Amino acid sequence: MPAIDPGAAITIQPELLPGEFLVWAGRPVEGIILHRQDLYLIPLSLFWGGFSLLWEAGVSGLLIPLQQIDTAGILWGIPFVLLGQYLMWGRFLHAAWKKQRTFYGLTNRRVIIVQNGRTVTAHIDRLPAIMVERGWGAGTIRFPQPGRRFRRHGKNIWDSMAVGPAPAFIDVEDAEGVSWMIAGMQ
């Protein structure tokens, strides 16, 4: 049986309704956890970041000495370099920052996610399905909502810790154990 994280329990406690009690509380596993989408996002980000750096080196005269530096080309390339840096390594730092501010709770009635002051909940008896994704080092439990078309990533493909309308326990240490607890309560 998965243990209750005391820090997560303290954060989730104010979200409880009358007659509701915590069965499990936890946090995402710290560190870099690779997900399925990283199989194509990492090569894409390396290509984007590498090309944008090569562009800047080319238009600034670092690769081939130029008669005149292309100022417009340098300015044009700066946003692409910044985006490339975020895609290559910044998104992992952003996910680590969000993990420190994310708390998961499972009560006798609901699943609760608190992230940066935003709370997303779903009633256990109304969950049509529980989807468990095993990852490298941790697992993810998704709770697709009835009546909503479930999309794995949508707009948040580059933000692995994004909390959307369909709650998810992302990068949970014992995802199997927590999913069995939920299934038992259903």
Side-chain angles (χ1 to χ4, degrees), residues 92-103:
F92 296 111
L93 295 175
H94 187 232
W97 179 81
K98 276 190 164 181
K99 283 182 178 187
Q100 295 174 350
R101 292 155 180 77
T102 303
F103 304 92

Side-chain angles (χ1 to χ4, degrees), residues 6-134:
I10 290 170
T11 304
I12 299 292
Q13 199 69 33
E15 304 298 328
L16 300 181
L17 300 173
E20 198 172 33
F21 58 89
L22 271 177
V23 176
W24 173 83
R27 303 181 69 179
V29 174
E30 292 185 13
I32 295 174
I33 304 292
L34 297 178
H35 300 97
R36 281 196 180 112
Q37 69 264 25
D38 288 319
L39 290 173
Y40 60 88
L41 292 180
I42 289 174
L44 178 65
S45 67
L46 291 174
F47 175 75
W48 181 288
F51 181 78
S52 63
L53 288 174
L54 231 105
W55 170 274
E56 285 295 302
V59 297
S60 64
L62 292 175
L63 293 179
I64 301 170
L66 301 174
Q67 296 291 332
Q68 184 176 357
I69 293 177
D70 184 4
T71 308
I74 292 172
L75 293 175
W76 175 261
I78 289 173
F80 293 97
V81 169
L82 295 175
L83 181 60
Q85 294 302 306
Y86 175 79
L87 299 179
M88 286 192 303
W89 57 271
R91 64 191 178 99
F92 296 111
L93 295 175
H94 187 232
W97 179 81
K98 276 190 164 181
K99 283 182 178 187
Q100 295 174 350
R101 292 155 180 77
T102 303
F103 304 92
Y104 304 130
L106 174 62
T107 72
N108 57 326
R109 297 184 199 161
R110 300 181 296 160
V111 294
I112 302 172
I113 300 163
V114 176
Q115 185 182 75
N116 287 334
R118 179 178 177 209
T119 303
V120 177
T121 67
H123 289 273
I124 292 174
D125 58 349
R126 296 185 193 144
L127 294 174
I130 301 171
M131 299 173 64
V132 180
E133 300 171 6
R134 289 156 196 86

Side-chain angles (χ1 to χ4, degrees), residues 131-154:
M131 299 173 64
V132 180
E133 300 171 6
R134 289 156 196 86
W136 295 281
T140 296
I141 307 168
R142 298 195 186 276
F143 311 102
Q145 295 295 300
R148 293 185 188 199
R149 184 171 170 257
F150 179 65
R151 294 185 338 188
R152 275 178 79 121
H153 308 296

